[in-house]
Amino acid sequence: MSVLADRIKEIIKPENLVYAKSPVLNDDIMHYCPGCSHGVVHRLIAEVIDEMGIQDQTIGVSPVGCSVFAYKYIDIDWQEAAHGRAPAVATGIKRVLPDKYVFSYQGDGDLAAIGTAETFHAVNRGENIVMIFINNAIYGMTGGQMAPTTLVGQITSTTPYGRNVDLNGYPLKITELLAQLPGAAYVTRQSVQNPAAVRKAKKAIRKAFEVQALKKGTAFVEVVSTCSSGWKLNPVDSNKWMEENMFPQYPLGDLKDSSRADADLYRIKG
Amino acid sequence: MAKVRGAVIVDTEVCKGCNLCVVACPTQTLALNRNVNNKGYHYSYMENPENCTGCTNCSAVCPDSCITVYRAKIE
Amino acid sequence: MGELRLMKGNEVIAIAAIRCGGDAYFGYPITPQSEVMETLMAERPWEDTGMVVLQAESEIASINMVYGAAGCGKRVMTSSSSPGISLMAEGISYMAGSELPCVIVNVQRGGPGLGTIQPSQADYNQATKGGGHGDYSLLVLAPASVQEMHDFVVLGFELAFKYRNPVMILADGVIGQLMEKVKLIDQRPRWTNEQIAEISGSWITVGKSKNRKKHVITSLEMDSSIMEGNNLRLQEKYNRMKAEEVRFEAIECDDAEYILVAFGSAARICQKTVQIARKKGVKVGLIRPITLFPFPEKIISEYATKVKGFLSVEFNAGQMVNDIRLAVNGKTRVEYFGRMGGIIPPPDEVEVALHQKLIKG
């Protein structure tokens, strides 16, 4: 045993470090439930900011919902927006500070229900911001109510017998809709349930920030996520449930990768 | 022949015992401890440290960024 | 120097916003104030001063854009009319709670609901008692002329930054649409980044330099004891406004037996009423509150022991009259006269009301 302990000691040396928490992520213990995807996405954003060296140029806009406290964890300047208004707040920041990096971070209720108008119009204007969209098909903070993205038949505290389309309508594929807008430059859907997915998601977030630097239009990253508490599953089973039920409805991959549309396509003739 | 060996340090007070790292670990290095931390969570630890290759899969999926990973070539 | 122009109240709001070095305007069209954004767009200030002008998708978006830009230490404003201000109420509450400076212009129209596009003063309570949720106050300026529309934009920004609080210019459709002579200020430069850092460097979100702590603009606090402290700090600020910022105009009050109290366009009408009444030998004066919050309660309280009564003249169902009654505190009679729905009473109608409600009554 002591041989083993010695061998571990041999390995744990600064020169052998291959992964440590980014300094852009602070030491506060996150308030999220065990296994929550928010924590992973926060970390990826922090790592991208760190690797791009833009900590001093980045302003985040946090939503209302579970990630209302995002500002506690990523060590950058933040504004906390009213429910659904993050894209408008981000627009206000970006318009007066066009050379800074501005991103909004929103859940499904914030982005796709109460803030639908702000979301659509920010993307339609082609605001040069990054929008991070956490879709876990449920309201976490308020206790597991139906979200616009809740699946048909999914049980939530306000759909105790499952989401019924006659009563509640359909799961909103807002990312597909946003990809149609000429202001969108980069629209992608990612997930963070396993190491490969996490690495892909990080690349997507990095790319979104790079698109912002090029002022090509809005960069939109959906992350299909879990909510163990809301789904009443443990974190590992939540990932399985997500793969089986969420991915068919919300397929992963890039939905758009170009640049804001050419204005001439839309110009009047006369 | 040089062998790649790894080791991880789990910040046990930050760990919430979500088990995602245990599932993500390809070498069955990690497990949840029978003991709990001050918050009552069964924290992750290296149950089989000799298996670790330092692949960083655990740290990649960790929602609480509580895993630090080291890797070395051992002769 | 001091260019003299004939302009509409709404147009002057726009010109003053540019000339005082405003950084951004976000708005949404609504009658009777659409000329504000139309003028800004026609002037294209982004080419000269770099001022941002953006038409938002709603008043909700406008005020939240104002929130975002104000959080960067910029001088930002919006304008709207009554129904639009109701939509902004959430954002205004957040701005007050987050202590963000901005100027909001309300060119009031009649309500409730969609109401009418004709002038009104029915948003007095909304403007002076908060309007959104929570314990907060706006600093409210009530212009009675096109010149004051101009001057209060300049003053509004000064006060907004002095107190880190939203300032509302509570105009009405009369002042917004009225054309008058106005003396414009010369173009002032927008604040440089260095000036912004000096003025607001302790709280703005412009990117966190290595050696400072992150700044967070928020009104959220989960710890009740801290949240109560935040509220007490806000109240202390409002008390400071009450001590330092009361503005009013007292016209022919020295020998008055009756005093009319009116703001904005109602005060212009009452000025004429004072002349009519005095010609008939009735000693009438006029107090015109310029700041509606803080309300000029001291001067009203002082006159309460000298006059036979006050008549509050408002284009609403009687809102300011309650503030007058609080200031008078039972020391003399306080009556109300007003019209609603966009009707503007002529001065002699006010004079008749004065007779019926106070002199005869």
Side-chain angles (χ1 to χ4, degrees):
Chain A
M1 196 62 202
S2 74
V3 179
L4 189 59
D6 284 348
R7 196 192 292 165
I8 293 172
K9 236 188 234 168
E10 275 297 295
I11 299 168
I12 298 175
K13 284 179 180 166
E15 62 268 30
N16 294 335
L17 181 71
V18 285
Y19 181 82
K21 183 170 74 72
S22 160
V24 176
L25 211 56
N26 63 30
D27 291 333
D28 291 353
I29 296 178
M30 293 190 192
H31 69 286
Y32 301 114
C33 305
C36 180
S37 314
H38 275 305
V40 181
V41 182
H42 282 20
R43 195 188 73 229
L44 298 184
I45 294 169
E47 288 175 3
V48 166
I49 290 171
D50 192 14
E51 286 161 22
M52 289 177 71
I54 55 171
Q55 186 181 14
D56 59 343
Q57 303 161 54
T58 305
I59 299 135
V61 183
S62 70
V64 170
C66 280
S67 47
V68 66
F69 292 120
Y71 60 76
K72 285 191 177 179
Y73 310 122
I74 303 177
D75 191 23
I76 53 169
D77 280 354
W78 282 92
Q79 293 197 21
E80 201 285 304
H83 199 16
R85 318 299 175 218
V89 171
T91 298
I93 300 169
K94 186 71 183 186
R95 291 287 174 142
V96 296
L97 300 174
D99 297 322
K100 305 279 178 175
Y101 291 85
V102 180
F103 74 93
S104 65
Y105 187 105
Q106 300 175 266
D108 39 44
D110 197 85
L111 181 139
I114 195 167
T116 311
E118 286 77 11
T119 300
F120 265 89
H121 287 279
V123 178
N124 195 48
R125 283 190 302 267
E127 294 293 342
N128 292 308
I129 57 173
V130 172
M131 297 172 73
I132 307 283
F133 169 38
I134 305 299
N135 176 12
N136 57 13
I138 206 159
Y139 282 67
M141 184 61 110
T142 44
Q145 295 82 10
M146 181 187 71
T149 51
T150 292
L151 304 178
V152 176
Q154 186 183 339
I155 288 168
T156 71
S157 66
T158 51
T159 55
Y161 308 106
R163 183 176 189 160
N164 169 356
V165 295
D166 293 336
L167 184 62
N168 308 118
Y170 298 86
L172 182 56
K173 297 188 176 188
I174 196 161
T175 304
E176 274 81 352
L177 297 172
L178 294 171
Q180 306 303 311
L181 300 178
Y186 175 52
V187 180
T188 186
R189 183 183 279 127
Q190 302 289 329
S191 66
V192 291
Q193 83 281 19
N194 60 42
V198 169
R199 288 178 184 120
K200 272 179 81 177
K202 183 175 170 181
K203 272 189 195 145
I205 292 170
R206 166 118 193 184
K207 182 168 175 172
F209 275 83
E210 286 167 354
V211 165
Q212 175 168 191
L214 297 170
K215 301 187 178 172
K216 287 168 75 173
T218 309
F220 188 92
V221 182
E222 172 179 344
V223 184
V224 182
S225 300
T226 60
C227 178
S228 313
S229 298
W231 295 356
K232 306 195 190 318
L233 296 169
N234 69 46
V236 174
D237 289 345
S238 291
N239 277 337
K240 281 186 203 141
W241 193 89
M242 175 176 72
E243 287 174 345
E244 283 167 21
N245 297 287
M246 296 276 282
F247 288 179
Q249 295 292 329
Y250 303 110
L252 305 184
D254 289 352
L255 286 90
K256 185 174 186 184
D257 184 4
S258 56
S259 156
R260 207 167 44 164
D262 186 342
D264 284 341
L265 293 170
Y266 299 86
R267 202 177 297 281
I268 56 165
K269 301 278 183 272
Chain B
M1 199 177 89
K3 248 182 151 179
V4 175
R5 286 286 170 214
V8 304
I9 296 176
V10 177
D11 188 337
T12 53
E13 284 308 315
V14 177
C15 178
K16 293 173 184 156
C18 73
N19 207 34
L20 293 180
C21 59
V22 177
V23 174
C25 176
T27 59
Q28 287 78 50
T29 302
L30 296 170
L32 295 187
N33 206 304
R34 276 182 62 226
N35 298 328
V36 295
N37 64 16
N38 279 313
K39 287 222 164 96
Y41 292 124
H42 292 282
Y43 52 85
S44 171
Y45 80 115
M46 286 201 291
E47 189 183 46
N48 302 305
E50 66 279 7
N51 290 359
C52 184
T53 60
C55 72
T56 72
N57 275 7
C58 53
S59 58
V61 297
C62 177
D64 292 287
S65 302
C66 62
I67 304 177
T68 309
V69 186
Y70 296 85
R71 190 193 302 147
K73 273 184 184 164
I74 308 275
E75 296 301 324
Chain C
M1 291 290 279
E3 197 180 336
L4 214 53
R5 298 263 288 272
L6 180 69
M7 292 184 87
K8 254 190 185 189
N10 288 338
E11 293 167 352
V12 150
I13 292 278
I15 300 299
I18 299 169
R19 292 212 176 185
C20 78
D23 292 300
Y25 172 97
F26 301 98
Y28 185 81
I30 182 171
T31 309
Q33 63 78 55
S34 295
E35 296 90 346
V36 178
M37 188 164 43
E38 287 169 354
T39 306
L40 281 165
M41 289 296 187
E43 290 287 322
R44 291 190 286 194
W46 51 90
E47 289 182 356
D48 302 325
T49 72
M51 180 185 182
V52 171
V53 187
L54 184 63
Q55 178 170 341
E57 65 271 27
S58 68
E59 287 89 348
I60 298 173
S62 309
I63 194 69
N64 284 287
M65 290 173 187
V66 170
Y67 179 103
C72 304
K74 301 286 185 176
R75 285 188 285 186
V76 198
M77 67 179 291
T78 184
S79 64
S80 188
S81 180
S82 310
I85 297 291
S86 292
L87 277 172
M88 289 186 189
E90 173 197 51
I92 296 171
S93 168
Y94 274 68
M95 291 196 76
S98 306
E99 296 194 77
L100 291 177
C102 72
V103 172
I104 302 155
V105 183
N106 180 1
V107 183
Q108 296 168 90
R109 55 191 257 185
L114 202 47
T116 170
I117 57 168
Q118 302 302 325
S120 160
Q121 298 183 326
D123 303 345
Y124 176 91
N125 281 345
Q126 185 195 47
T128 59
K129 309 290 182 275
H133 61 284
D135 281 308
Y136 75 90
S137 296
L138 307 176
L139 209 154
V140 184
L141 299 167
S145 64
V146 173
Q147 185 66 52
E148 282 189 340
M149 288 287 253
H150 170 277
D151 296 350
F152 289 177
V153 171
V154 183
L155 175 65
F157 276 119
E158 280 169 25
L159 295 173
F161 277 84
K162 179 174 176 188
Y163 292 99
R164 267 187 73 183
N165 204 68
V167 169
M168 178 172 279
I169 298 176
L170 191 69
D172 58 58
V174 175
I175 305 295
Q177 294 297 329
L178 191 69
M179 282 188 93
E180 273 185 331
K181 172 186 80 178
V182 56
K183 194 172 173 188
L184 303 174
I185 52 163
D186 295 332
Q187 180 65 52
R188 295 178 186 173
R190 287 169 54 233
W191 286 340
T192 61
N193 289 344
E194 291 70 29
Q195 283 173 305
I196 289 171
E198 202 180 307
I199 293 160
S200 312
S202 64
W203 56 270
I204 49 174
T205 57
V206 292
K208 182 196 97 79
S209 59
K210 283 271 177 291
N211 38 21
R212 82 151 158 84
K213 284 194 164 174
K214 67 171 179 242
H215 291 162
V216 179
I217 306 284
T218 183
S219 52
L220 175 66
E221 178 51 61
M222 298 299 273
D223 183 328
S224 299
S225 61
I226 298 176
M227 192 62 209
E228 186 178 45
N230 290 351
N231 269 281
L232 289 170
R233 200 179 64 245
L234 289 180
Q235 293 304 315
E236 187 271 328
K237 184 164 84 173
Y238 307 144
N239 285 335
R240 228 165 0 105
M241 290 178 191
K242 287 180 186 174
E244 294 173 22
E245 303 303 339
V246 172
R247 289 167 170 79
F248 62 88
E249 191 181 8
I251 297 165
E252 305 208 39
C253 287
D254 288 347
D255 63 341
E257 294 183 339
Y258 301 96
I259 289 181
L260 306 175
V261 186
F263 67 95
S265 54
R268 293 173 72 114
I269 288 159
C270 287
Q271 238 175 309
K272 188 74 183 169
T273 306
V274 169
Q275 290 172 10
I276 296 169
R278 283 197 174 254
K279 260 186 199 158
K280 292 184 180 172
V282 187
K283 288 176 179 168
V284 180
L286 168 66
I287 291 176
R288 175 172 78 95
I290 293 172
T291 51
L292 301 181
F293 184 94
F295 190 69
E297 46 197 31
K298 196 163 152 248
I299 185 75
I300 288 171
S301 167
E302 282 168 14
Y303 277 109
T305 54
K306 298 175 190 163
V307 299
K308 292 178 182 167
F310 290 95
L311 183 69
S312 183
V313 181
E314 314 170 51
F315 303 157
N316 57 41
Q319 300 187 14
M320 181 175 67
V321 66
N322 295 322
D323 284 333
I324 300 168
R325 286 193 176 120
L326 284 171
V328 167
N329 201 13
K331 281 182 254 173
T332 188
R333 291 180 60 198
V334 180
E335 297 293 340
Y336 144 84
F337 171 72
R339 298 295 301 268
M340 288 172 276
I343 296 191
I344 305 298
D348 46 1
E349 190 180 332
V350 178
E351 201 255 344
V352 170
L354 175 68
H355 267 276
Q356 284 176 345
K357 292 186 178 243
L358 270 181
I359 300 173
K360 218 171 71 183

